[in-house]
Amino acid sequence: MSRNRQLIQLWQQFIPLSLSDVSMALGDPLTTTTLAHLADPRNNIAAVGVAKAIAIFCESPIIMLLHASNALAPTQASRKALWTFTVILSGGMSLLLALTTLPWIFAIVGEGWLGVEPALSDPIRSTLSIVILWPLAIGWRRYFQGLLIHGGHSNAVAQAGIIRLLVVGGILAGGFTLRANGAVVAGLSLVWGVIAEAVAVTYLARKLGATKLPELISTPELPQDVAGVWKFYAPLGGTMMLVWGARAALVGIVARAEDGAIALVAWPAAWGLVLVIANSTRMVQQIIIRNRQLLPDRLLITFAMTVGIVCSLILLSVSGTPMSEKAIGWFVGDDRELISRVRPVLLICAVMPLLVSLQNALQGFLVSQGHTWCINQAAWVGAVVMLGTAYLSAQLGQNGAIAAAQGMILGVMMEVGYLFYSWRSLNE
């Protein structure tokens, strides 16, 4: 088969999976747009941004369950052990999120560690109280997504993602029509969107037979019990806790910048737009894991770079054209100061989709080879560089959103460099 034909087949596998991530990421700009047109937009956008940072930190140990489910799907014993592990871990993270809503704990986490103004405490806690089931639903969803991807049912993953987007959009539209409390509407759309998607992927996985895949090859190296799954998964879960813990800490740096009040609104608004496009590249990792033994590494890297370049060009065209200011204004409302702060962040982050694509490709190679600790080490490098750069930039007088963007870009660049070094070292 020709190289071009192989690349086309990889794109055919990738696009439905990417649509799933895009449908998920679209929830952020849709939420911001809705909040921008409801009462008290600045406080609600800031409150929801902080609440989601805390919720995603509690979700972070679960993020890599998709990768584990894809990698461990070949045997029934591994799948059963991973499902038990998923329920325990996801339930525990939902319990942890519930604890953050307690006033005295939130005073430590939100007002102390993150530097949130007391005026934002109530809307943040209200949002967190609504999304307590978020981690449990995320873990449940990712387990069945992994089975579907391993079974070659990418379209089913995309269909479930569209269902999630429709539920999110419906709740936001209802809240907008009723002129409801913005923080409450945002929380309801977040949690019910992912619950709907989890139900959909479960139904589709069972219908398509992805839960009972035939064991075509002997894979004794795969974990067969919960203890074995923990040993395999611990570096991956720890990596995501580090990554999202660092990103939550980044919110604290933004809040303490000279322009902290407006920066705390501008950063999540801009980053939500960046993620719509950057997250569309993340499923590159699943393509790598699934095709690692079937196609040459060079071809897979070429595919990842192609995906990243295309998506970076899309983000650059959105943020760097004369029409971008008007488009951003539709997104954040008629707030000239906020528009002027969001646009430069988008320009700085235009390279992010390419970096995320390379990051996920290299992680995919390392996961498929079982070298999960290398991913953890790279995450440490990226987190330290990100926070150090953002803190130094803010201390030198840079506005908070720009400081966060600079830290994010440099941190991911260093992480990609470390992942590439580890991958090359292990394959020489």
Side-chain angles (χ1 to χ4, degrees):
M1 186 182 298
S2 70
R3 179 184 177 89
N4 288 341
R5 180 60 184 166
Q6 289 174 325
L7 282 172
I8 290 172
Q9 288 189 344
L10 290 173
W11 273 95
Q12 289 173 338
Q13 294 177 39
F14 171 76
I15 288 175
L17 299 179
S18 178
L19 289 175
S20 171
D21 265 348
V22 169
S23 65
M24 176 181 68
L26 278 173
D28 283 344
L30 286 175
T31 300
T32 301
T33 301
T34 303
L35 296 179
H37 293 86
L38 290 176
D40 199 14
R42 284 195 179 186
N43 278 344
N44 278 329
I45 291 172
V48 171
V50 174
K52 192 164 185 183
I54 295 172
I56 291 178
F57 173 70
C58 291
E59 173 206 342
S60 59
I62 300 160
I63 290 175
M64 286 290 191
L65 282 173
L66 172 61
H67 313 71
S69 181
N70 190 355
L72 302 184
T75 72
Q76 190 70 24
S78 295
R79 292 195 294 272
K80 288 182 177 179
L82 181 62
W83 173 244
T84 301
F85 178 80
T86 296
V87 173
I88 294 171
L89 180 60
S90 302
M93 291 301 102
S94 278
L95 177 60
L96 177 62
L97 183 56
L99 292 176
T100 65
T101 66
L102 298 176
W104 65 274
I105 293 182
F106 183 81
I108 297 172
V109 175
E111 297 171 14
W113 295 350
L114 299 181
V116 172
E117 296 179 359
L120 293 177
S121 294
D122 285 343
I124 293 172
R125 287 180 55 228
S126 295
T127 306
L128 290 175
S129 297
I130 294 169
V131 301
I132 284 172
L133 292 179
W134 168 278
L136 180 60
I138 289 288
W140 167 18
R141 177 196 65 145
R142 286 182 170 271
Y143 172 81
F144 285 101
Q145 278 182 324
L147 298 184
L148 284 168
I149 292 170
H150 184 81
H153 303 296
S154 299
N155 288 335
V157 177
Q159 291 166 15
I162 292 171
I163 290 172
R164 173 181 179 164
L165 183 60
L166 291 174
V167 171
V168 169
I171 292 174
L172 292 175
F176 175 79
T177 302
L178 297 172
R179 314 305 294 175
N181 179 283
V184 171
V185 172
L188 289 172
S189 69
L190 281 172
V191 71
W192 282 107
V194 74
I195 288 174
E197 187 179 13
V199 171
V201 293
T202 304
Y203 169 76
L204 291 169
R206 294 185 183 281
K207 178 182 178 181
L208 297 170
T211 57
K212 296 182 179 179
L213 297 171
E215 299 185 16
L216 301 178
I217 56 175
S218 176
T219 51
E221 73 279 4
L222 294 182
Q224 305 295 304
D225 53 28
V226 174
V229 170
W230 168 253
K231 184 177 180 180
F232 173 87
Y233 188 78
L236 298 176
T239 297
M240 290 297 100
M241 286 191 70
L242 171 63
V243 168
W244 289 103
R247 292 187 182 181
L250 185 63
V251 172
I253 293 175
V254 171
R256 292 177 173 86
E258 290 182 1
D259 62 338
I262 184 65
L264 206 56
V265 183
W267 171 243
W271 186 240
L273 278 174
V274 172
L275 285 183
V276 171
I277 299 175
N279 276 2
S280 68
T281 71
R282 293 194 311 172
M283 286 296 184
V284 161
Q285 185 169 143
Q286 304 309 312
I287 301 300
I288 300 291
I289 293 173
R290 188 170 188 272
N291 294 280
R292 179 71 170 80
Q293 304 300 324
L294 304 175
L295 297 171
D297 289 354
R298 186 181 294 273
L299 178 67
L300 295 172
I301 284 290
T302 300
F303 164 72
M305 292 187 67
T306 304
V307 170
I309 291 170
V310 168
C311 292
S312 280
L313 288 175
I314 292 172
L315 182 56
L316 183 61
S317 67
V318 169
S319 58
T321 60
M323 292 297 294
S324 62
E325 186 171 336
K326 184 175 181 180
I328 295 169
W330 179 82
F331 168 61
V332 300
D334 189 20
D335 188 328
R336 306 308 301 174
E337 183 182 9
L338 187 55
I339 292 171
S340 68
R341 289 171 179 271
V342 167
R343 189 178 184 188
V345 174
L346 297 180
L347 288 169
I348 292 171
C349 291
V351 72
M352 183 61 74
L354 174 59
L355 294 175
V356 172
S357 183
L358 291 173
Q359 174 197 48
N360 278 273
L362 293 166
Q363 286 178 344
F365 285 123
L366 292 168
V367 168
S368 66
Q369 293 175 273
H371 298 295
T372 51
W373 278 112
C374 295
I375 297 173
N376 185 268
Q377 293 161 10
W380 273 103
V381 172
V384 170
V385 172
M386 178 188 71
L387 293 177
T389 301
Y391 177 79
L392 181 60
S393 183
Q395 291 300 304
L396 292 174
Q398 184 63 268
N399 78 60
I402 294 292
Q406 292 171 338
M408 189 68 74
I409 292 296
L410 191 56
V412 176
M413 287 178 64
M414 294 300 294
E415 182 178 353
V416 168
Y418 190 94
L419 288 168
F420 180 74
Y421 169 78
S422 300
W423 175 59
R424 288 295 299 272
S425 298
L426 291 167
N427 288 279
E428 286 180 351

